[in-house]
Amino acid sequence: MFRNITIGQYIPGDSVVHKLDPRIKIIITFIFIVAIFFINKLSGYLFAVLYLYLVIAISKIPFSYILKGLRPVIIILLLTVSLNMFFTPGGTILYTLGPLKITTSGLRLAVFMGLRLIFLIIGTSLLTLTTSPISLTDGIEHILKPFSRIGIPAHELAMMMTIALRFIPTLIEEAEKIMKAQMARGADFESGNIVKRAKGLVPLLVPLFISAFRRADELAVAMESRCYRGGQNRTRMKQLKIQPRDYEALAVTLIMVLLIVWNRVWTW
């Protein structure tokens, strides 16, 4: 179950997507997220699908690995689709189930919300799968650096966000070890209803939280022992430089956005 989580994991590679400047990749991801919420017609999602297919093919990441990241959110996805389908009024009534009614407006909104959630997960997963934690930290810090003039700690925020993403695979591995140890002692995490399964997670969550706090304390001690002082007079071995391929990737993304905008305007 936990191995299906792909957000926060990094797959080393030498593809063009891996070599892109992290700042450009972060900006592209933000543009893609905004463009997804701008779509108001099913045909508009075709451009997003073609764009994601192009990125996945160039990055050389197995498509099955991308789909595996959707498994942990299946319950959230089904819940989102169900709530929008049964509780959205308007349109023609298609089916009635007691007090619940499925309308054309509810069905349309449910499909839209489900597709948006899927594309958001895939888009953010591609960012972390193709960007190392160090590069991601440098990219976030450079983007937030102009805000340091008004007192926003750019380096500290970038470091916290990257450490949080970096520790997702570590905590997943730790959770699997604890789960196997608890199952060897007779714990049951798979049978029963939802309430019983939730209660069964208590023997897993308590040691997982203790392990997370212990790792955080060890990381803080290690950073202090190395005289870590944040972004004060900090130099980098590798300087970030925008290459022509970065502008090309940004141009392809903007073309996708223009197609989505054209599709929305054409709908009007």
Side-chain angles (χ1 to χ4, degrees), residues 134 237 242:
I134 297 177
M237 183 177 66
I242 298 180

Side-chain angles (χ1 to χ4, degrees), residues 1-76:
M1 176 179 65
F2 294 102
R3 289 188 178 274
N4 295 328
I5 300 176
T6 57
I7 297 179
Q9 300 188 21
Y10 169 63
I11 299 179
D14 58 350
S15 66
V16 177
V17 180
H18 285 80
K19 296 178 181 178
L20 290 177
D21 191 284
R23 296 170 294 181
I24 298 298
K25 284 194 279 189
I26 294 173
I27 294 174
I28 287 176
T29 303
F30 178 78
I31 294 175
F32 177 76
I33 292 174
V34 174
I36 289 301
F37 284 93
F38 199 74
I39 297 175
N40 69 337
K41 192 178 180 182
L42 288 176
S43 59
Y45 284 103
L46 178 62
F47 304 114
V49 170
L50 294 176
Y51 177 79
L52 286 178
Y53 177 80
L54 178 64
V55 175
I56 295 173
I58 296 176
S59 64
K60 300 178 182 179
I61 296 177
F63 189 71
S64 58
Y65 192 85
I66 300 294
L67 293 179
K68 186 177 68 173
L70 298 175
R71 294 180 184 176
V73 296
I74 288 180
I75 297 179
I76 299 177

